[in-house]
Amino acid sequence: MTRLQRFYIKFYYRLLNLFPFTKVINKQKLNGERNVFIYFDYEREFSGFDVGITNKHVEELLDFLDSVNIKTTWFTVGRIVEQYPDTVSAIISRGHELASHTYSHIAPFQISQKKLREDFKNYHNILSTSDSIKGFHSPNGQWTVSLLKMLKENQYSYDVFGSKRESDCFPGYLKIGSKYFRFPTIGDDWPAYIGNYNKKETYNYFINKINCLPEGALVGIGFHPWVLVINNEIYEGFKMLLRDMAVEREYKMQTAYQFYKDLTEG
Ligand SMILES: [Zn+2]
């Protein structure tokens, strides 16, 4: 990415912040707990980091999630659905949520609107009729107004965006129509990967963020299966975090779409 592009993107988001068109939901519905969904950006070799992750690695991760009894959301690249369908069936059959991380791991700003539209179509075409996906996480966390419009057009229910401000720990809904939600994420394992964190550092990085959340917050925390596979220290820190959170009653943990349903039903 060039400096000019970076400048443009920064400017774009600053402008959007001046005219907020997401509205924070009624916090009453979320009172008394810290609500966290764990998500994975499942992309294997299609993100450019080919670390030799195998189906067995994915099975092991799913076994671990079973052992702590936490249901998670998998933002999966469409090409994985085509090439590694067994892992996708396993994700669904074990009660996790299948969601989109685009068909070919592309983000707005890097490609034209036309290409982005095609990408949505490609994803739709490979899904069997029984699989419906409701959630979306854009690669690199990049989003634009036209991307949101496309998500609405394609009947998505929510997307996940990177929160820039401390106050961004509640979901909002779009003013351009009801029942489309935006869920904030407070970060993923990228800093741990870049900083080569050990187990304790990884654990502390996330637990400190979580403990700063106000009551009733609803946020995501993200991981990349390939990061967990390539760095065992980060994997151990991740396991320690989830084991802790699974037994603490102050956290409510479920898939992002289950939170969506809780907020829109009843
Ligand atoms: Zn990605």
Side-chain angles (χ1 to χ4, degrees):
M1 204 184 294
T2 65
R3 265 180 69 186
L4 190 66
Q5 269 173 316
R6 264 200 294 272
F7 178 76
Y8 173 76
I9 292 169
K10 225 171 150 182
F11 178 75
Y12 185 89
Y13 287 127
R14 192 155 290 176
L15 203 67
L16 284 180
N17 273 335
L18 285 179
F19 306 101
F21 57 102
T22 50
K23 216 176 141 174
V24 170
I25 55 147
N26 181 358
K27 290 180 190 173
Q28 229 85 52
K29 281 198 152 188
L30 294 164
N31 259 351
E33 275 177 292
R34 294 192 175 97
N35 305 283
V36 181
F37 61 91
I38 301 292
Y39 68 89
F40 298 96
D41 286 338
Y42 182 30
E43 50 206 24
R44 289 177 83 141
E45 66 268 35
F46 303 112
S47 69
F49 294 92
D50 188 358
V51 298
I53 173 169
T54 64
N55 290 6
K56 196 158 169 270
H57 289 129
V58 178
E59 287 282 337
E60 279 164 9
L61 178 50
L62 291 171
D63 286 345
F64 169 74
L65 294 171
D66 277 352
S67 76
V68 288
N69 195 24
I70 295 175
K71 302 299 180 208
T72 58
T73 298
W74 289 64
F75 295 105
T76 304
V77 167
R79 295 183 65 190
I80 285 182
V81 180
E82 281 178 320
Q83 296 210 21
Y84 307 102
D86 292 352
T87 62
V88 174
S89 315
I91 288 165
I92 296 168
S93 70
R94 295 201 199 194
H96 301 280
E97 178 192 357
L98 178 69
S100 171
H101 196 42
T102 73
Y103 173 76
S104 49
H105 204 264
I106 46 167
F109 296 119
Q110 291 155 14
I111 52 150
S112 68
Q113 280 204 45
K114 189 168 165 266
K115 280 253 161 22
L116 198 58
R117 213 171 277 281
E118 271 169 35
D119 189 273
F120 272 99
K121 223 183 202 161
N122 289 338
Y123 209 129
H124 186 80
N125 288 343
I126 52 158
L127 286 179
S128 64
T129 43
S130 58
D131 299 330
S132 74
I133 49 176
K134 301 290 181 196
F136 182 87
H137 184 218
S138 185
N140 308 333
Q142 289 177 354
W143 59 277
T144 58
V145 174
S146 51
L147 171 71
L148 292 177
K149 274 193 194 144
M150 269 180 234
L151 286 164
K152 285 279 293 174
E153 275 164 30
N154 286 278
Q155 260 108 57
Y156 282 79
S157 299
Y158 73 89
D159 74 313
V160 171
F161 72 102
S163 82
K164 297 271 184 286
R165 296 167 302 187
E166 287 297 310
S167 60
D168 279 340
C169 46
F170 293 93
Y173 60 84
L174 277 189
K175 287 175 183 170
I176 56 161
S178 61
K179 291 200 171 179
Y180 182 90
F181 276 89
R182 307 206 74 206
F183 291 137
T185 165
I186 51 170
D188 66 12
D189 53 7
W190 188 249
Y193 171 69
I194 293 294
N196 202 22
Y197 289 4
N198 64 29
K199 173 180 173 175
K200 195 79 195 139
E201 287 166 336
T202 303
Y203 174 82
N204 286 340
Y205 173 75
F206 286 108
I207 206 75
N208 289 339
K209 277 179 172 253
I210 293 161
N211 287 339
C212 287
L213 292 171
E215 278 200 0
L218 197 181
V219 298
I221 305 174
F223 295 89
H224 296 83
W226 66 263
V227 168
L228 302 179
V229 166
I230 203 173
N231 188 321
N232 200 51
E233 285 285 322
I234 297 176
Y235 207 166
E236 288 301 318
F238 157 85
K239 286 181 178 170
M240 197 169 143
L241 178 76
L242 265 66
R243 276 191 201 111
D244 258 26
M245 291 183 79
V247 294
E248 287 289 343
R249 257 187 301 179
E250 62 171 305
Y251 304 119
K252 183 172 185 182
M253 298 174 79
Q254 56 187 14
T255 67
Y257 187 55
Q258 189 57 51
F259 280 121
Y260 173 89
K261 284 203 279 193
D262 290 355
L263 287 167
T264 52
E265 284 164 14

